[in-house]
Amino acid sequence: MTVRGRFAPSPSGRMHLGNLLAALLAWLDVRSQGGVMVLRMEDLDPQRCSLDKAAQLVEDLQWLGLDWDEGGLEPEYCQSRRWDHYEAAFRRLEELGLIYPCYCTRAERLAASAPHASDGAVVYSGRCAHLTAQQRQDLEAAGRRPAFRVRVPREEITIEDGHMGPYTQQLDRDCGDFIVRRSDGVWAYQLAVVVDDALMGVSHVVRGCDLLSSSPAQAWLHRTLGYEPPQFYHLPLMVDTQGRRLSKRDRDLDMGVLREKYTPQELVGWLGWLAGLQDTPKSATPDQLISRFHWSKVPKTSIVVGST
């Protein structure tokens, strides 16, 4: 079966070095196996994402020397244009009796939820799953607009991550019922990413290990909707010398800064070195790294990046 991989960035700002590493390794994973590369825009949030930012992202990837076989700015590969697909999946979950409205404010969710043991995230208590029809009516009469959650089973899910190894969660305890549609009507990432990966035939998902904890719920949702989950590969995060994760918000090593300081070959070579694919940060093109790529070379612990 042909490998189909994807890079699926959110066009909410310039990519930073961690995004570039994910893009490069996703590309190498596909190209080393003669597969198909998909570029999808995860532009669900209209307040943060824009076509101009998506166009800049495309141009930055092209500057770096990364290409793709499907997608880019084509409407059918932009999540903002794929709402009918998410609506169909939502209706299927409703038919299965797995959807319920949640009226909790953020403060109420935090107060009524238990912290996740591993990362401090909160696990929803399920309080709104037990509201009566009258209680829901009263909340809506008071002006509360519900989000919608999917009810997860008391089930242990293990994924075999292609890089990090096995990862297990008990869904009700470690994940909890999660939001699939926000109270403002915007579809949630967890639903959209599953539907898109399934309908686009994605077989390999390469992304940062900050999303590893989302994978068991996504694998369960794939199967619940009748799809086969992809093979996941999670990368170590890039952090600064204080251990702080790189982020778009802080403009850490973003493409605007990087393109002023480096040629594409210098930047790709540096990324290849950070990923364990070459002994020194010498210049390289993406094509030159294909023969050197293997998951066994990629670190599993955080990659520390100093200042440029």
Side-chain angles (χ1 to χ4, degrees):
M1 186 177 70
T2 302
V3 168
R4 289 178 61 86
R6 51 84 158 170
F7 181 52
S10 173
S12 57
R14 294 296 282 271
M15 292 183 292
H16 61 67
L17 198 65
N19 303 135
L20 299 184
L21 181 63
L24 176 62
L25 292 185
W27 187 90
L28 290 171
D29 179 64
V30 168
R31 295 299 184 222
S32 66
Q33 300 177 77
V36 174
M37 189 69 194
V38 176
L39 177 61
R40 182 173 74 229
M41 294 295 163
E42 298 199 334
D43 57 345
L44 284 171
D45 192 336
Q47 295 182 340
R48 298 175 59 242
C49 302
S50 69
L51 183 59
D52 286 346
K53 291 175 183 176
Q56 178 66 72
L57 192 153
V58 163
E59 200 273 329
D60 283 339
L61 289 172
Q62 291 171 331
W63 177 85
L64 202 62
L66 298 178
D67 63 355
W68 50 92
D69 305 298
E70 298 177 13
L73 298 177
E74 297 174 36
E76 60 268 31
Y77 292 88
C78 296
Q79 288 186 331
S80 60
R81 307 291 291 274
R82 296 177 55 80
W83 283 37
D84 288 350
H85 297 296
Y86 313 140
E87 182 75 39
F90 183 84
R91 296 305 171 204
R92 175 60 181 148
L93 294 171
E94 275 192 324
E95 291 169 2
L96 294 171
L98 297 177
I99 296 291
Y100 65 88
C102 175
Y103 298 88
C104 294
T105 64
R106 185 173 186 275
E108 288 168 339
R109 291 198 303 271
L110 295 176
S113 302
H116 190 287
S118 63
D119 61 12
V122 297
V123 178
Y124 184 62
S125 66
R127 59 186 288 182
C128 283
H130 308 293
L131 294 176
T132 65
Q134 184 61 54
Q135 287 172 320
R136 291 175 180 173
Q137 197 173 48
D138 292 344
L139 285 164
E140 294 197 17
R144 291 282 186 100
R145 296 177 60 190
F148 291 89
R149 293 183 182 270
V150 64
R151 195 190 317 266
V152 301
R154 187 173 186 176
E155 182 179 338
E156 191 171 87
I157 301 286
T158 298
I159 65 158
E160 288 290 337
D161 188 85
H163 184 51
M164 293 295 186
Y167 179 77
T168 301
Q169 281 186 348
Q170 183 173 309
L171 288 185
D172 61 319
R173 181 192 65 206
D174 300 325
C175 171
D177 298 346
F178 54 90
I179 291 174
V180 290
R181 192 169 197 173
R182 299 187 335 196
S183 60
D184 61 0
V186 173
W187 297 103
Y189 166 79
Q190 291 282 62
L191 180 67
V193 73
V194 166
V195 171
D196 287 342
D197 283 343
L199 297 185
M200 294 179 185
V202 172
S203 62
H204 285 205
V205 168
V206 176
R207 59 190 186 185
C209 67
D210 53 326
L211 291 170
L212 178 59
S213 62
S214 295
S215 299
Q218 290 175 12
W220 169 80
L221 193 54
H222 269 280
R223 294 192 179 102
T224 301
L225 291 169
Y227 306 132
E228 184 64 27
Q231 173 67 62
F232 294 104
Y233 296 84
H234 286 88
L235 316 176
L237 296 181
M238 285 190 170
V239 299
D240 64 16
T241 53
Q242 282 74 49
R244 183 175 60 91
R245 175 182 154 196
L246 302 187
S247 73
K248 290 181 184 178
R249 187 166 44 247
D250 300 319
R251 297 203 56 183
D252 286 305
L253 302 173
D254 77 12
M255 278 296 277
V257 173
L258 294 169
R259 287 183 62 164
E260 291 178 358
K261 293 187 175 184
Y262 300 102
T263 66
Q265 294 77 22
E266 287 172 335
L267 188 51
V268 169
W270 185 31
L271 288 167
W273 173 65
L274 291 172
L277 306 183
Q278 48 184 23
D279 296 332
T280 63
K282 62 184 178 182
S283 295
T285 65
D287 283 340
Q288 289 171 333
L289 294 180
I290 292 175
S291 63
R292 305 171 198 170
F293 174 76
H294 195 276
W295 282 108
S296 63
K297 298 179 181 180
V298 179
K300 294 186 178 181
T301 56
S302 296
I303 298 172
V304 178
V305 181
S307 64
T308 59

